Amino acid sequence: MTMWVFGYGSLLWNPGFPVARSERATLHGFARSFCMSSIHHRGTEEKPGLVLALDEQENASCTGLALAVKAGHEDRTLQELRERELISSAYVERMLDVHLESGDIENAVTYVIDADHVQYCGGMALEEQARIIAHAVGGRGPNNEYLYNTAEHLAEIGLRDHDLEWLAQRVRSITA
């Protein structure tokens, strides 16, 4: 049986595992947003950054990529994803149905925010998000690089995220 992973942020441009197939897919009931304070990858405890997470919201949906893990790599992929995504337990690993563009529905490993976790910061104004992203740096590099890579990859695969596009433009003007 194929193992699927739902990518909506950095997994779009840096899955970190062998992908046998990818297809645009939509997850219902969740919205992609910078609702997680990053104290490891894109910020520090002293100066947190922001990373994308899936925030559970009624009537929301998020379109990203369903990534099929290459056969024989499932165990290693799951182990590495857990090391990467569950570093501070702000994400929760869930198996959720994603609706592929082809019409199929697949059950995919999906990382969603724990709204009760201390790193949850949903509902922050976009201007405040831009100020944080413009200046934060963590173990995986500058926060703005994460934003730019995600926004650019979404555009490359034909997905529009107006908030990310606005943030990328605003952060570029702050850092210019």
Side-chain angles (χ1 to χ4, degrees), residues 1-4 68-75 95 106-108:
M1 192 166 105
T2 302
M3 176 182 163
W4 290 89
V69 177
K70 187 174 176 184
H73 293 267
E74 297 86 355
D75 291 342
M95 295 300 297
E106 297 291 350
N107 201 243

Side-chain angles (χ1 to χ4, degrees), residues 32-164:
R32 170 184 27 241
S33 68
F34 279 98
C35 63
M36 180 175 157
S37 179
S38 178
I39 58 173
H40 299 288
H41 297 318
R42 297 297 173 166
T44 62
E45 287 192 29
E46 298 76 31
K47 192 169 187 174
L50 293 173
V51 290
L52 292 165
L54 291 171
D55 201 0
E56 195 162 8
Q57 297 177 9
E58 200 173 328
N59 301 319
S61 65
C62 174
T63 302
L65 290 178
L67 305 166
V69 177
K70 187 174 176 184
H73 293 267
E74 297 86 355
D75 291 342
R76 183 180 177 106
T77 294
L78 195 55
Q79 176 188 342
E80 290 176 355
L81 281 171
R82 286 174 173 163
E83 288 172 9
R84 170 181 172 172
E85 303 297 335
L86 303 179
I87 189 169
S88 68
S89 72
Y91 285 124
V92 177
E93 182 182 281
R94 294 188 46 196
M95 295 300 297
L96 298 172
D97 286 340
V98 295
H99 299 255
L100 277 57
E101 202 167 57
S102 64
D104 293 338
I105 298 173
E106 297 291 350
N107 201 243
V109 176
T110 308
Y111 293 95
V112 303
I113 189 74
D114 174 358
D116 293 324
H117 196 276
V118 67
Q119 286 175 254
Y120 176 72
C121 57
M124 184 184 301
L126 287 176
E127 182 63 33
E128 187 177 350
Q129 292 176 37
R131 281 196 305 270
I132 292 168
I133 292 167
H135 302 293
V137 179
R140 290 188 183 237
N143 204 171
N144 60 4
E145 177 185 276
Y146 170 91
L147 166 65
Y148 300 152
N149 282 336
T150 305
E152 287 166 16
H153 198 82
L154 283 169
E156 283 173 18
I157 59 176
L159 296 175
R160 302 284 316 260
D161 187 310
H162 297 289
D163 286 353
L164 262 65

